[in-house]
Amino acid sequence: ENLIEIAAVSRTYLDANENTVEALKGISLSIKKGEFLSIIGPSGCGKTTLLRLIAGLDAPESGKITLEGETITAPDPHRGYVFQQGSLFPWLTVEKNIAAGLKARGVYQKEKGEVAKYLALIGLEGFEKAYPHQISGGMAQRVAIARSLINRPAALLLDEPMGALDSFTRADLQDKLLELWQRDQTTMILVTHDVDEAVYLSDRIVIMTPRPGTISEILDIRLPRP
Ligand code: ADP
Ligand code: ADP
């Protein structure tokens, strides 16, 4: 069963000189439910553009993207999005940031219990009253992940969430992400330019080439899971 179908999707931008840049050209890709998919490729190949289209943060010019058969037209907490860094509300505590995920869905009941549960899942008990500037970058990314997961999204869309972290913190967050994926089997779509990271985490890797938007090859990597 495919969760997401990307069919012949194209997206162009105008650069500073008003020239058309083809960020994505005729991309097609199916993503299975529960899959941990990594999209890798060099800077500028269209990874972020593709992820933003799946998120509904941007719309394709042609082609179509569906989630469970429904065309994606707008952002929805059903597809949690985690940015590279700095997406927490700086004026809210860790627990309020996580609760903001629930509020986005209009759920107010049992909020406290859910927030505590997700705080524990990401290993940040004791930090509920801390503000984003009082925690490390790795901790902040875990909070961002919890804020998305609390909505139980059909897919978690991760745009280089570890890109700004040092290697020790990155290894830590990779293991946390694997643990969360194994626990809930949430479909994970990870954009990264770190090949090792993609191999370590994924079931499947999509490689995008330097030619904007052409997927050159799809490797199906089946990893034995511990
Ligand atoms: P990646 O995430 O792989 O680095 P992007 O999706 O960010 O690639 O960008 C793909 C191409 O589209 C690049 O050539 C980039 O310069 C261009 N691009 C992306 N977003 C914009 C934008 N908002 N305006 C103009 N050009 C853009
Ligand atoms: P991470 O825990 O995400 O890997 P670090 O490696 O920077 O991030 O932090 C290691 C540990 O140090 C954290 O798990 C936490 O226990 C503690 N720590 C980091 N920053 C702070 C802080 N601002 N206040 C209190 N403890 C902190």
Side-chain angles (χ1 to χ4, degrees):
E1 356 69 89
N2 290 327
L3 179 72
I4 295 170
E5 291 283 1
I6 299 164
V9 160
S10 298
R11 181 75 171 93
T12 60
Y13 294 107
L14 288 181
D15 69 12
N17 302 315
E18 305 269 301
N19 295 316
T20 301
V21 178
E22 280 180 325
L24 294 174
K25 191 176 180 185
I27 290 283
S28 295
L29 183 66
S30 300
I31 301 167
K32 285 199 209 70
K33 202 174 162 117
E35 190 164 43
F36 200 133
L37 174 78
S38 288
I39 301 172
I40 65 173
S43 242
C45 71
K47 303 182 297 295
T48 295
T49 301
L50 183 59
L51 205 64
R52 287 175 55 85
L53 292 177
I54 298 170
L57 292 165
D58 191 7
E61 280 160 345
S62 61
K64 158 167 122 157
I65 306 182
T66 58
L67 176 97
E68 287 168 341
E70 308 240 338
T71 302
I72 291 170
T73 53
D76 185 323
H78 206 45
R79 298 177 306 278
Y81 199 95
V82 177
F83 295 88
Q84 183 167 356
Q85 61 174 323
S87 67
L88 298 182
F89 301 116
W91 60 88
L92 295 179
T93 60
V94 162
E95 67 180 355
K96 297 276 185 202
N97 262 285
I98 297 174
L102 277 181
K103 288 199 171 124
R105 206 182 42 167
V107 177
Y108 296 91
Q109 265 129 39
K110 296 189 187 154
E111 184 188 291
K112 276 237 148 63
E114 282 289 282
V115 170
K117 185 177 129 195
Y118 279 85
L119 260 170
L121 273 177
I122 57 167
L124 283 185
E125 305 104 317
F127 287 92
E128 40 279 87
K129 302 292 180 204
Y131 284 87
H133 74 273
Q134 296 172 316
I135 60 176
S136 71
M139 295 158 85
Q141 286 303 77
R142 286 197 244 160
V143 174
I145 289 167
R147 185 178 58 183
S148 288
L149 283 180
I150 202 165
N151 284 311
R152 302 175 193 283
L156 190 60
L157 312 178
L158 301 143
D159 190 1
E160 297 206 40
M162 293 164 271
L165 305 177
D166 66 78
S167 53
F168 297 106
T169 309
R170 190 180 309 154
D172 220 44
L173 188 57
Q174 286 170 350
D175 285 335
K176 180 52 74 179
L177 208 52
L178 261 189
E179 187 189 315
L180 291 170
W181 175 77
Q182 280 162 341
R183 183 179 175 277
D184 294 336
Q185 300 289 300
T186 302
T187 307
M188 300 280 191
I189 306 174
L190 172 72
V191 161
T192 179
H193 54 233
D194 182 342
V195 177
D196 290 347
E197 180 172 291
V199 169
Y200 182 59
L201 292 175
S202 326
D203 294 314
R204 184 173 168 221
I205 299 175
V206 171
I207 302 174
M208 292 173 76
T209 67
R211 281 177 298 126
T214 41
I215 290 178
S216 62
E217 205 176 346
I218 293 170
L219 301 175
D220 278 284
I221 300 175
R222 304 264 157 229
L223 290 168
R225 301 287 186 182

